[in-house]
Amino acid sequence: MKKNLGPHLEKLWLLFAWSTLILAFIIGHIAAKPDYLTMAKAHYTNFNLVPSKDYTSLPVVFVPGENSQNTSEGEAVVIAAGTGYGGPFVLGVRAQKGENTARIKEVVVLSHKETPAYLQKLINNNFFRQFINKSVTDNFLIDDDVDGISGATVSSKGFTKAIAGALHKGAENHLGYEKSWKEVEWSPGLNEALMVGLFLMVLVVVYAPGHIAKPFKIILPFASLAFVGFYVNASISLGTLAGIVMGYVPEFRQYPIWWIIVGGVLAGIIFLGRNLYCGYLCPFSVIQDLLQKISGIKLALRPGMARNARRVIYGLSWFALILIFLSRHPALGSYEPFGMMFSLQGMGIQWYILPFSLLGSFFVPQFWCRLFCPVGLYLSEAVRLQHATVRTAGNILVKNVSSDPQSSFESYSKATDILTILFASQTGNSKHLAYQLKANCDANGLPVRIQSMADYDIDNLQRESHLIIVTSTYGEGEPPESAEGFYHSLFADDAPQLPNLSYSILALGDTGYRFFCQTGIDFDERLAELGAQRLHERAECDVDYEAMADAWITSVIKLLQNRLESSCSNAVMPTESTGAEQAYYNKARPFPARLLANEALAADGCEKDFRHIALSLEGSGIRYQPGDLLSVWFKNDEAEVASLLANLSIPADTEVEVDGAPVTIEQALIESYELTQCHPGFIEKYADLSQQAELVELAADFDKMRDYARRHQIFEMVRQYPARLTAKQLLSSLRRLTPRKYSISSSQSEVGEEVHLTIALVEYNSEHGGESHKYVGGASGYLCHRLALDAEVKVFVEENEHFRLPEHDDASVIMIGPGTGVAPFRGFMQQRAAQKHRGKSWLFFGNRNEALDYLYRDEWQQYLERGSLSRMDLAFSRDQQQKIYVQHRIEQQGAEFYGWLEQGGYIYICGDVSHMAADVESAIMQVIETHGERSTEEAMEYFERLKREKRLLKDVY
């Protein structure tokens, strides 16, 4: 077994990062001890300065020594030190004592860690020249005696305060003058009141009821942009946080806005456990939101990308903090573009970062905040630490106070030497394998529990000792619907460390997709990052997964027998019903259903052939629920098989072996091998065997190969590129036939021992060699064209427990199903009508033409007339010049749609995953954002909450 180096490398990196940061801080602190004399001599080269023997108390004073040139009697250099906007500074104030007073002759900056842009603005506006000839006993009050520089107000106050403090102290301590000057007085002004008002507005938005918070949600973004951004330019940056660590904190009277915003944010984290800055007060976040609304483009980030982005942020901020600590200069390592955005002042790399981050915000919501912002990451880490502290304290308190020894926490902790199997399944295959693994464990007396990932509490993960995850991958590398909550929790910043966990992954996928078994890979890598140890190498199974999965399960069982104590009495029963797994009929033992009806649903002239298929389950005892799937074993077209064999020069009666039994190659291809769905693996093997130049070139480019596989059948490819193969070569290139899954479009409350399907025949024409040939789908062609009435077809039901009607019959449901996606909703309506559900029902249906393919029109009209269906919105895309789809209807009815959601309504989406599902989800997000008057982040959180509450359910393919 390979040793998992991930956690060790991460620990080494953390040790290195913290060690170097601490070392840089110490070195910078030692090096930063001021040598005022050296600083002064570097500027006043003609003075030969020496420490004053007369003025030994503070402030530090240097006087010209022997051999000084161009000096006047009574001259001295007074050291004035203070803190500006960005960091500390040291000034040299050359003064000359006269008969009645001492006056300033020159003010120079000897050393500084101030933000360069602000210091340069002071110099360019002759800020320091206005001190010349002023008496050391003047008031030095901003706006009265000294003009502050607009755009550098905080720096103006800091430098003035340092000069006044040093000279006034020198006047008293060294010259013996009586105090006659006024101290700087401070009282709250309009700016401070506005800043406090913004914080109060944030609290209202976060904690007040929706109707009260509503107007403030509209005002807050623009107020924070105008005030925090452009007016006071008080964005919190990495330099701000580093300055606090180094003790660079401005005096309250100098910069009260800083104290209010930083203090308010820290108080929010400590006392409320909330980050009140990001998404509320951060003005750059508002800029990103505005750009996002302008573009309307919302590209999603894969969790892996977000995880890598965090690593980038940690790396960049580590490097920046090293520079800051070594130089003791907060502005030197601050790379955020805030200053450039709101004051048009920046330095170095910021000139490149600003346009890059603005451009990215056009395409990805909160582009800078999610991928590059160190402040947001560290504030989130602080919130996570606060939550962990509170949770730990609560656990300690509960443990000390509770007298119930059978608490769920303790009872779970006692059962750590048990194998936990978690499964995440989109179509039922992972669940089937998970229960197969559990059956093997039971047979060997191994203690085991099994649970759907959707129902698993991730807080229990720290108390597991052995874990196996069985998961499929959905679409282009996404987790199955049932795994989303667990997936995102596992990848969260506050996911627990798992040093005591041994685990393994059984991953299912399809090599026809680029991100093959990606969810399983993600789980494997993330668990390793969290310190868990691999029990067994990950299995990555293709569509024909049975043989590999069986071998993997056998190998894992052997390992577990050496790790877990065999004891049937300790075995833990499953936490949920095994449902279809306990049914007599399954994939290996299907039921021969008889075809009762095959009816056309579309009118003549329709481009697509839609069929209503009814099958008899009489005598089977099979039970299903609306939302379940029916898997259908089909046979390939005999004529197409004969043509394929002829194109490969293989005699039809050639004997081969399938599952240990001898059959002819013709029978094997008709009943046991996939010939309609092409896939990249077949193209690669066939190209290698045939050595046809076009195929060899195609096989060299995965994207082109995958695109070709999606658009062509194996029948068509072999007809276009005939070759001479042996029967063995052909079978080794093919996948085994797999059943096709269809959404059941009936309810047994209505149809009894029948099951109905709604099918669109897959068909297309292709020309080759001047001849056109029609190709049809494997299962759809079999059911719609080749299967005779009363003939039998092998089927079995697969539970789809994550696409169920609400448990309460008074719940409202919104059903979105264009085309054959309407199938499960026919079953939903049959069920609700038969059982007289009280909840409202709203159906969004669409197709091309109302007159041609309005599927089940009469049935929907009857439901509407009876009141079983409360509302129906239609979208026929080709009935007008501008195409209209269901997502457009959702947006048009947005106010009422959102009202149903606020009243606890459930959303169901069924149909095409590649375009429709994404467009519908985007429309729902827009409805939530617009009619809920929420920000993009708040709308996303609302949307995710619907998923967590299982009020947004999908059956997409």
Side-chain angles (χ1 to χ4, degrees):
M1 190 186 306
K2 296 179 181 177
K3 188 175 181 181
N4 178 19
L5 296 178
H8 302 290
L9 292 176
E10 184 173 355
K11 290 177 181 177
L12 286 174
W13 156 247
L14 288 173
L15 179 62
F16 171 77
W18 278 107
S19 300
T20 51
L21 285 172
I22 294 172
L23 184 62
F25 183 89
I26 295 172
I27 292 173
H29 179 72
I30 294 173
K33 289 184 178 179
D35 183 350
Y36 295 137
L37 182 59
T38 301
M39 292 180 190
K41 282 186 173 183
H43 180 79
Y44 299 102
T45 55
N46 295 329
F47 281 26
N48 190 26
L49 293 174
V50 295
S52 170
K53 295 180 180 179
D54 299 321
Y55 309 141
T56 55
S57 58
L58 293 176
V60 176
V61 177
F62 301 121
V63 296
E66 296 181 2
N67 302 321
S68 296
Q69 302 175 8
N70 301 321
T71 61
S72 301
E73 186 178 352
E75 280 192 316
V77 175
V78 181
I79 299 299
T83 302
Y85 177 88
F89 58 80
V90 177
L91 302 177
V93 183
R94 183 161 64 93
Q96 184 175 14
K97 182 180 178 182
E99 292 183 3
N100 300 318
T101 187
R103 293 191 177 275
I104 300 173
K105 305 295 287 181
E106 182 184 22
V107 177
V108 296
V109 180
L110 301 181
S111 174
H112 78 91
K113 309 296 183 186
E114 176 62 301
T115 303
Y118 296 144
L119 178 58
Q120 192 60 47
K121 180 169 278 195
L122 297 183
I123 295 172
N124 292 344
N125 286 274
N126 299 316
F127 173 77
F128 296 108
R129 289 189 180 183
Q130 62 185 315
F131 290 92
I132 295 175
N133 289 324
K134 288 186 179 294
S135 170
V136 298
T137 58
D138 283 354
N139 293 324
F140 298 109
L141 299 178
I142 288 287
D143 297 331
D144 292 339
D145 306 291
V146 179
D147 293 329
I149 304 302
S150 178
T153 305
V154 176
S155 298
S156 301
K157 290 180 179 180
F159 282 102
T160 301
K161 177 180 178 296
I163 293 171
L167 294 183
H168 289 162
K169 190 174 290 185
E172 282 189 291
N173 294 349
H174 300 333
L175 304 180
Y177 295 160
E178 292 186 4
K179 181 177 178 180
S180 60
W181 50 87
K182 296 179 181 179
E183 294 288 349
V184 177
E185 297 180 356
W186 179 84
S187 59
L190 179 61
N191 289 350
E192 290 74 31
L194 288 174
M195 192 68 249
V196 172
L198 280 178
F199 263 106
L200 294 176
M201 198 180 300
V202 171
L203 294 177
V204 171
V205 168
V206 173
Y207 293 107
H211 67 282
I212 297 176
K214 183 177 178 180
F216 295 100
K217 287 183 179 180
I218 301 172
I219 298 170
L220 181 60
F222 299 101
S224 64
L225 178 62
F227 185 74
V228 180
F230 288 107
Y231 186 64
V232 298
N233 192 16
S235 302
I236 297 178
S237 67
L238 184 64
T240 307
L241 302 180
I244 294 173
V245 174
M246 294 187 294
Y248 299 166
V249 179
E251 185 188 44
F252 181 79
R253 290 180 298 178
Q254 174 190 348
Y255 197 7
I257 293 294
W258 186 96
W259 279 90
I260 294 172
I261 192 168
V262 173
V265 170
L266 293 179
I269 292 172
I270 295 170
F271 298 110
L272 302 177
R274 293 293 296 263
N275 176 2
L276 301 180
Y277 181 72
C278 299
Y280 299 106
L281 290 174
C282 175
F284 200 67
S285 174
V286 181
I287 292 288
Q288 294 173 88
D289 276 341
L290 291 175
L291 293 175
Q292 181 62 214
K293 289 185 183 298
I294 292 171
S295 72
I297 303 171
K298 296 182 179 180
L299 299 181
L301 294 178
R302 285 182 47 76
M305 293 175 63
R307 187 169 71 254
N308 290 331
R310 287 195 294 271
R311 291 169 177 165
V312 170
I313 295 173
Y314 281 128
L316 287 174
S317 57
W318 169 81
F319 183 72
L321 289 171
I322 289 290
L323 291 178
I324 291 173
F325 289 159
L326 287 176
S327 64
R328 308 295 286 183
H329 198 324
L332 186 62
S334 185
Y335 57 88
E336 298 103 311
F338 311 140
M340 280 192 62
M341 183 72 235
F342 301 114
S343 65
L344 300 180
Q345 296 177 353
M347 50 186 276
I349 196 173
Q350 292 174 343
W351 290 98
Y352 303 98
I353 290 178
L354 178 62
F356 170 73
S357 58
L358 294 180
L359 179 63
S361 299
F362 270 96
F363 303 99
V364 178
Q366 294 294 305
F367 176 75
W368 170 264
C369 297
R370 296 169 69 187
L371 296 179
F372 297 102
C373 181
V375 172
L377 182 61
Y378 290 129
L379 291 182
S380 296
E381 283 291 307
V383 170
R384 183 187 65 79
L385 181 62
Q386 191 267 6
H387 289 173
T389 303
V390 171
R391 187 165 57 246
T392 301
N395 288 340
I396 293 173
L397 182 63
V398 169
K399 186 176 180 180
N400 290 335
V401 172
S402 175
S403 59
D404 179 11
Q406 297 301 321
S407 66
S408 60
F409 181 95
E410 291 179 3
S411 61
Y412 198 100
S413 299
K414 291 176 182 177
T416 54
D417 291 331
I418 292 175
L419 171 66
T420 296
I421 302 171
L422 298 181
F423 62 87
S425 185
Q426 194 70 25
T427 58
N429 292 334
S430 295
K431 179 178 179 180
H432 169 76
L433 287 176
Y435 275 97
Q436 179 182 330
L437 174 60
K438 185 205 176 281
N440 276 263
C441 290
D442 288 340
N444 286 276
L446 298 176
V448 61
R449 55 178 157 236
I450 188 168
Q451 195 167 17
S452 168
M453 207 172 279
D455 303 320
Y456 184 75
D457 184 352
I458 197 169
D459 288 340
N460 290 329
L461 204 55
Q462 282 182 294
R463 298 186 285 278
E464 303 284 7
S465 65
H466 294 79
L467 172 70
I468 289 180
I469 289 178
V470 186
T471 181
S472 59
T473 292
Y474 169 61
E476 291 291 348
E478 300 302 318
E481 194 84 9
S482 59
E484 285 188 351
F486 181 88
Y487 187 94
H488 293 299
S489 296
L490 193 67
F491 281 94
D493 293 337
D494 59 351
Q497 290 295 309
L498 305 169
N500 300 318
L501 177 67
S502 295
Y503 75 95
S504 192
I505 308 292
L506 177 54
L508 274 64
D510 184 343
T511 50
Y513 292 88
R514 176 173 291 278
F515 298 102
F516 174 63
C517 289
Q518 188 62 50
T519 301
I521 294 170
D522 288 346
F523 279 141
D524 193 5
E525 293 179 350
R526 182 56 172 164
L527 288 170
E529 287 177 5
L530 296 173
Q533 302 299 314
R534 286 188 183 92
L535 170 71
H536 190 286
E537 288 301 311
R538 177 180 71 243
E540 296 179 8
C541 302
D542 204 351
V543 175
D544 46 353
Y545 57 82
E546 287 87 349
M548 178 181 286
D550 288 346
W552 185 87
I553 288 174
T554 300
S555 179
V556 166
I557 291 294
K558 289 180 180 178
L559 280 174
L560 291 172
Q561 286 174 326
N562 295 326
R563 286 173 166 260
L564 299 177
E565 180 181 351
S566 296
S567 173
C568 294
S569 61
N570 289 335
V572 180
M573 294 304 294
T575 57
E576 61 172 47
S577 168
T578 58
E581 299 301 322
Q582 295 175 344
Y584 180 76
Y585 298 106
N586 52 37
K587 186 176 182 180
R589 192 187 301 107
F591 174 74
R594 186 166 50 89
L595 179 63
L596 298 177
N598 180 351
E599 301 169 355
L601 291 173
D604 293 340
C606 182
E607 294 182 6
K608 283 190 175 183
D609 185 357
F610 293 96
R611 297 296 181 106
H612 173 76
I613 302 293
L615 300 171
S616 172
L617 302 178
E618 187 177 355
S620 68
I622 291 176
R623 305 298 300 171
Y624 63 84
Q625 296 186 49
D628 282 346
L629 306 172
L630 188 73
S631 286
V632 178
W633 285 104
F634 65 96
K635 295 180 180 180
N636 285 311
D637 190 321
E638 294 180 10
E640 290 288 358
V641 168
S643 176
L644 179 138
L645 289 172
N647 284 314
L648 296 176
S649 300
I650 301 175
D653 58 357
T654 302
E655 189 173 285
V656 295
E657 188 175 284
V658 177
D659 297 330
V663 295
T664 64
I665 184 67
E666 181 181 40
Q667 183 182 352
L669 294 181
I670 291 172
E671 299 179 355
S672 304
Y673 286 89
E674 180 62 68
L675 295 172
T676 50
Q677 290 185 348
C678 193
H679 59 95
F682 176 78
I683 297 175
E684 286 181 323
K685 292 176 181 178
Y686 191 73
D688 183 56
L689 291 169
S690 67
Q691 285 300 304
Q692 299 199 44
E694 289 185 23
L695 289 179
V696 171
E697 182 180 353
L698 178 65
D701 188 321
F702 182 84
D703 289 331
K704 289 182 179 179
M705 183 168 54
R706 184 176 60 168
D707 181 62
Y708 180 92
R710 285 175 175 174
R711 294 184 293 107
H712 300 272
Q713 293 186 357
I714 290 177
F715 286 131
E716 180 187 0
M717 180 177 164
V718 172
R719 179 174 276 110
Q720 185 176 356
Y721 300 102
R724 182 177 291 275
L725 268 62
T726 66
K728 184 177 180 180
Q729 288 174 327
L730 173 61
L731 295 188
S732 67
S733 304
L734 296 173
R735 288 174 171 173
R736 293 297 295 269
L737 193 68
T738 55
R740 300 295 193 264
K741 303 175 192 297
Y742 292 98
S743 297
I744 294 175
S745 57
S746 56
S747 165
Q748 287 187 300
S749 297
E750 174 78 17
V751 302
E753 289 191 306
E754 293 183 11
V755 61
H756 296 178
L757 305 177
T758 305
I759 298 176
L761 176 67
V762 177
E763 58 181 339
Y764 68 97
N765 288 298
S766 178
E767 288 193 7
H768 178 66
E771 295 184 2
S772 179
H773 189 85
K774 177 181 284 189
Y775 297 92
V776 298
S780 64
Y782 181 67
L783 289 170
C784 298
H785 283 183
R786 301 194 298 277
L787 186 67
L789 284 175
D790 288 326
E792 293 181 346
V793 58
K794 296 177 181 179
V795 301
F796 60 98
V797 169
E798 293 203 35
E799 282 190 339
N800 192 5
E801 63 242 10
H802 301 295
F803 201 73
R804 291 273 193 262
L805 281 167
E807 293 180 1
H808 306 290
D809 66 1
D810 59 349
S812 298
V813 297
I814 301 173
M815 302 168 287
I816 305 163
T820 56
V822 80
F825 305 135
R826 181 174 181 266
F828 279 18
M829 289 310 305
Q830 288 181 356
Q831 181 97 340
R832 286 171 76 84
Q835 298 183 359
K836 295 181 170 44
H837 286 200
R838 294 171 294 159
K840 296 185 294 183
S841 302
W842 185 354
L843 175 63
F844 287 87
F845 172 73
N847 229 334
R848 290 185 169 226
N849 306 100
E850 183 174 5
L852 298 177
D853 50 19
Y854 187 169
L855 309 184
Y856 301 112
R857 178 204 298 261
D858 294 341
E859 293 186 25
W860 304 130
Q861 292 300 325
Q862 290 176 13
Y863 287 129
L864 285 168
E865 291 169 4
R866 297 172 188 165
S868 302
L869 183 60
S870 311
R871 176 168 182 170
M872 186 173 186
D873 280 83
L874 302 170
F876 293 101
S877 60
R878 306 304 197 271
D879 280 352
Q880 59 284 314
Q881 185 174 0
Q882 184 177 3
K883 294 178 181 178
I884 296 177
Y885 297 103
V886 288
Q887 61 265 27
H888 300 133
R889 296 302 189 206
I890 291 170
E891 292 174 347
Q892 290 169 5
Q893 306 301 329
E896 187 169 353
F897 191 101
Y898 182 73
W900 280 46
L901 295 185
E902 285 291 275
Q903 295 165 16
Y906 289 68
I907 303 174
Y908 296 86
I909 304 170
C910 183
D912 170 53
V913 65
S914 58
H915 298 292
M916 183 280 297
D919 292 340
V920 165
E921 289 189 16
S922 179
I924 295 172
M925 280 281 295
Q926 190 61 49
V927 165
I928 295 169
E929 190 172 337
T930 302
H931 298 280
E933 297 181 339
R934 301 170 185 268
S935 67
T936 300
E937 290 73 27
E938 290 170 331
M940 291 175 70
E941 171 55 31
Y942 189 103
F943 189 82
E944 291 301 320
R945 179 159 55 85
L946 290 175
K947 289 184 177 180
R948 290 195 299 270
E949 294 174 354
K950 299 181 181 179
R951 290 174 50 210
L952 194 156
L953 305 171
K954 295 186 295 183
D955 179 14
V956 291
Y957 38 84

